[in-house]
Structure formats: C-alpha cells, structure tokens
Amino acid sequence: MGLDPNVVRGDFPILARQVRGKPLVYLDSAATSQKPEAVIEAMSRYYREINANVHRGAYKLSEDATAMFEGTRAKVAAFIGAPEPDGVVYVRNTTEAINLVAYGWARKFLKPGDEVLLTEMEHHSNLVPWHRLAVERGVVLRHIPITDEGRLDLAKLGDVLTKKTRLVSFAHASNVLGTINPVEEIVRAAKSVGALVLVDGAQAVPHMRVDVAALGCDFYAFSAHKMCGPTGVGVLWGRPELLRDMDPFMVGGETILEVFLDHSTFRDPPHRFEPGTPAIAEVAGLAAAIDYLESLGLDAIHAHEEALAAYARKQLSAIPGCVPYGPPTGPRGGVACFTLEPIHPHDLATCLDQDAVCIRAGHHCAQPLMRRLGVGATARASFYVYTSTSDIDRMVESLNRTREFFGCR
Ligand code: C6P
C-alpha cells in the first residue's frame, strides 16, 4: 500500500498552521522533521504520568521510567536490525555519536600514519572530528571522490583505500545530493583491508529500512529529530565487542562501576557512555516515533520520497535558470538541491518564506561538497512522509513569482 501524504498530514498538528495568512508548506525535513501527535503525546504522557529519574529509584515511578528507557533501547535495536540492545548507546545526536567513535575508539587505537577514509560528500559532523584526530594523533585523512552526477566514484576506491586504512566513515545518504550510498559494497572493500566502518545514518534511518547486521558495518549513527522524534536524543550503535574496548569521552554518574577517592572503574557499554541524567522524555518520544514510522512502513516511506524527488526534479528543471544537483535517478532520497541563476539561494529562501514555503539555503554544513559542485551555496527542498506533490507545486509557483520579482526572463 502506498503512503497517502494527505492522510498522514492530519497526524502533524503544526501542518494545520498558517504562516503570513497562508497554509504552511514545510520543505526542510532534512534539517529536522515535524512531529506527529503520537510523539508529542508520548512525551507529555511521560511527564504527566511517569516522570522520575532512571536506574536510581527503588520506587514504582522510577521503575516505570527505567522500563520505558531500557525497553526503548530494545525497540531501537530491533528497528535497525541490531542483534542486541547493548549495542545501542543513547547520545544527543548524530554529531555526538561520530565524536564518540572519534574520541573513544580512534583516539585510543589509531597511531600516526594510520588512515581514515572519508568522502567528498560528508556533512561537517563527519569531517571536523577527524580533522581534530589528524592534528592530535597524526592520522592521515583520505577521501573517496564523487562523480559529476553526485555519486561516490567507487572506480577510484583503490586509490584511497590502502593497507593503512583503519576506518572508513561515510554518509549512508547525502543531505545535499540525496544520493544513497552502497554501504554493503564499501563495507566489503573496507573489510578486505581490515578497516572498520562507521556509517552516518542521519539522512537514512528516517527514510528507509536500515539493517545494520545486513549492512555489515561496525558503527551506525543517527538522530531522533529527523525521524519524527524529539531533539536532544540520538543513537550510536556499535558492535558490543568494539564498544567494550572504547573509552568514554565524558564521565561521571551512571558510567561507573566503583568510585574511590582517587580512581574509578567503568561499567560495560552502553551505560559507560551515558553520563548523568539522560534525555528521558525524549527517549519516550523516540519510542513513539519508531512506532509511528513502522505503522507507515519504511519501504512505503522510501518509495514515496523517491517519487517526490523525481517529481521535484522534473518541475524544477522546467524553470529557466534552475540547476538541480545530485543523481537524476535512484537510488536516492527525498532531497532536491538547486540553484536558480541569478538569484542567491538566501534570497530565494527569503522570498519563498513570504509564501509560507520553508526551504533551506546555504552550504548545508557541507562546504567541501559545495566547492566540489563549484557553488558557494544552494537552495534545498527536502521531503518527508507528509509532503505531497502539491507542496512541490506551491514551491515552484513561488520560485516563478520570485523570478518575476527579480526581473528574470
Ligand atoms: N543535517 C541538514 O539540514 P545532528 O545535527 O547531529 O542531528 O546531525 C548532523 C548531521 C550529520 N550527518 C548528516 C548527513 C546530516 O545531514 C546531519 C544534519 C542537517 O542537512 C542539519 S545541518
């Protein structure tokens, strides 16, 4: 069964809102998704009925909070095909998850001259932590180039994947190009030189079925806020045997086994990596978000977005001066990046906002990719379960009005 965005919309209270007297068209879901009533209600219910700290109280409320918190860990594991809940570490977001691997694994195990392989299409969150490691540990960074179409150029993989590569870290799906990368193929190549694989799943988990066991990767990172869940909670999944050898990068209560006045010992994962009181209500929201996405069906979500991306590409290509970026056909996700000469993307976004159309403009936290594309910035429309073709039509109408306003022919 296909997904009907006009029915799904009814689950998202914010989409009933008017902006400047016009119905809201939200096309920035890659930045953060809107939240369905079920998620808002789960968080509210947690505060109204359960609110207590986890893992600490011997009373019913705390037991209920802990059961919800740990039960969600098992739900997350099942959602991403992880064999066991102990591989699921709650963090704040994808950025923190990647930093945790950089600090807890790479900083501990990599030595000068070891190589980390990234790609030209990475988000800053999967570049900057490795820059720091290169400075601090003398690790060498290499990058898989991209083709002019916006796919990873795997024909060049042999030039950058070497016997010294210890980790390959890349986005499952690009937040700019929409490209969905062939994780299994890259994992096979990485394993052939004995490297581990970290996948940045920020733009994949919300939009398609992800099975970390089938992918064969070692670490997988994602954020709840892009998948109908709340801000403030994300996940690092790691193979438990790797997590067990890793150092925590923030320590304190909950991470410890025993504390003496002069030293302490640490718990097993995942708790070793979860210092202090966690984002408990947010975890309740994450559980509801997973239930919600499962109720729609991940395959249906992916098919819906791929169709929207193709529709947007066709409509945008018909506008004089409009240049779309990213692969013209699948496998790709629901992202449409474009420029519209001679109007700066920031001006486009500001003009579209007058029509209550929300798009993102800028470098999308991917400055090296912008350089590769030969642009300083792009406009970006990104789609989700509640997006319909009529939202895209509203954007295109508004783009045409903007062209008129700027006197374009
Ligand atoms: N991209 C976008 O508008 P956080 O902020 O930690 O939840 O996610 C970081 C991140 C990591 N990897 C990829 C591929 C991403 O797209 C993002 C977030 C948003 O494109 C905000 S910059």
Side-chain angles (χ1 to χ4, degrees):
M1 256 288 279
L3 183 156
D4 183 348
N6 295 316
V7 175
V8 170
R9 282 179 72 82
D11 296 334
F12 291 79
I14 203 170
L15 297 180
R17 223 199 113 161
Q18 304 251 319
V19 173
R20 302 181 208 289
K22 297 171 186 164
L24 173 67
V25 173
Y26 186 75
L27 295 174
D28 198 17
S29 294
T32 198
S33 74
Q34 294 303 347
K35 320 303 174 200
E37 185 64 46
V39 167
I40 299 166
E41 176 54 25
M43 295 176 71
S44 163
R45 196 178 332 116
Y46 166 77
Y47 280 126
R48 277 188 277 107
E49 294 175 15
I50 303 181
N51 186 43
N53 214 327
V54 292
H55 300 139
R56 287 160 170 87
Y59 51 89
K60 174 83 172 115
L61 284 189
S62 178
E63 281 165 9
D64 286 353
T66 304
M68 178 282 292
F69 191 79
E70 293 304 328
T72 302
R73 205 187 293 279
K75 189 188 281 283
V76 170
F79 182 61
I80 59 167
E84 64 305 284
D86 284 355
V88 172
V89 181
Y90 291 127
V91 289
R92 273 181 304 164
N93 47 38
T94 306
T95 304
E96 186 174 317
I98 295 170
N99 272 276
L100 179 51
V101 177
Y103 189 98
W105 180 81
R107 205 166 186 270
K108 183 171 181 187
F109 293 113
L110 299 195
K111 46 186 199 318
D114 283 345
E115 296 177 6
V116 171
L117 180 56
L118 309 167
T119 87
E120 268 183 344
M121 65 167 78
E122 295 314 308
H123 186 279
H124 294 166
S125 293
N126 195 29
L127 291 169
V128 182
W130 310 112
H131 295 167
R132 185 178 233 190
L133 196 77
V135 171
E136 287 182 356
R137 288 286 185 273
V139 164
V140 176
L141 305 182
R142 293 187 184 276
H143 302 88
I144 306 174
I146 61 167
T147 64
D148 289 341
E149 237 196 23
R151 297 196 181 283
L152 289 180
D153 192 351
L154 293 182
K156 305 245 171 72
L157 189 57
D159 301 341
V160 284
L161 182 74
T162 77
K163 287 200 167 60
K164 290 185 184 164
T165 309
R166 300 287 311 279
L167 179 76
V168 184
S169 184
F170 62 97
H172 195 162
S174 163
N175 65 321
V176 174
L177 303 164
T179 317
I180 296 175
N181 289 318
V183 178
E184 282 119 313
E185 195 181 337
I186 298 169
V187 167
R188 268 197 302 279
K191 298 289 154 186
S192 74
V193 298
L196 297 187
V197 176
L198 162 60
V199 180
D200 167 356
Q203 300 291 351
V205 168
H207 307 288
M208 58 196 271
R209 173 65 63 200
V210 168
D211 184 327
V212 293
L215 293 175
C217 57
D218 300 287
F219 299 105
Y220 198 100
F222 60 98
S223 303
H225 71 94
K226 294 185 197 289
M227 51 181 282
C228 292
T231 51
V233 67
V235 169
L236 173 69
W237 171 80
R239 288 188 191 284
E241 65 273 22
L242 293 170
L243 293 176
R244 262 194 295 277
D245 286 341
M246 279 168 49
D247 286 339
F249 81 110
M250 203 188 282
V251 289
E254 277 304 295
T255 63
I256 47 78
L257 208 53
E258 271 191 297
V259 176
F260 303 88
L261 280 179
D262 58 353
H263 76 282
S264 34
T265 57
F266 291 97
R267 289 174 73 183
D268 281 340
H271 301 104
R272 182 190 302 170
F273 304 111
E274 296 175 1
T277 299
I280 309 171
E282 286 72 13
V283 166
L286 171 60
I290 290 174
D291 289 343
Y292 183 75
L293 294 179
E294 290 285 18
S295 76
L296 298 179
L298 274 299
D299 291 340
I301 294 172
H302 180 53
H304 171 66
E305 292 176 16
E306 212 168 39
L308 286 174
Y311 181 79
R313 180 122 182 162
K314 188 157 163 264
Q315 302 308 106
L316 286 168
S317 299
I319 303 175
C322 188
V323 179
Y325 297 91
T329 53
R332 54 159 303 139
V335 173
C337 254
F338 60 95
T339 49
L340 181 48
E341 287 297 328
I343 309 166
H344 192 280
H346 282 134
D347 292 334
L348 283 178
T350 305
C351 289
L352 264 60
D353 181 50
Q354 299 305 307
D355 287 333
V357 177
C358 312
I359 62 164
R360 185 171 172 189
H363 54 61
H364 314 294
C365 299
Q367 286 179 346
L369 176 56
M370 292 293 122
R371 280 187 207 105
R372 170 64 179 84
L373 298 175
V375 292
T378 73
R380 182 188 71 183
S382 53
F383 316 131
Y384 207 18
V385 292
Y386 36 73
T387 312
S388 65
T389 51
S390 63
D391 291 327
I392 295 170
D393 292 342
R394 282 267 313 275
M395 172 181 73
V396 169
E397 281 161 26
S398 186
L399 287 171
N400 281 323
R401 256 195 300 282
T402 305
R403 286 189 73 248
E404 273 171 36
F405 178 76
F406 275 83
C408 301
R409 296 179 178 218

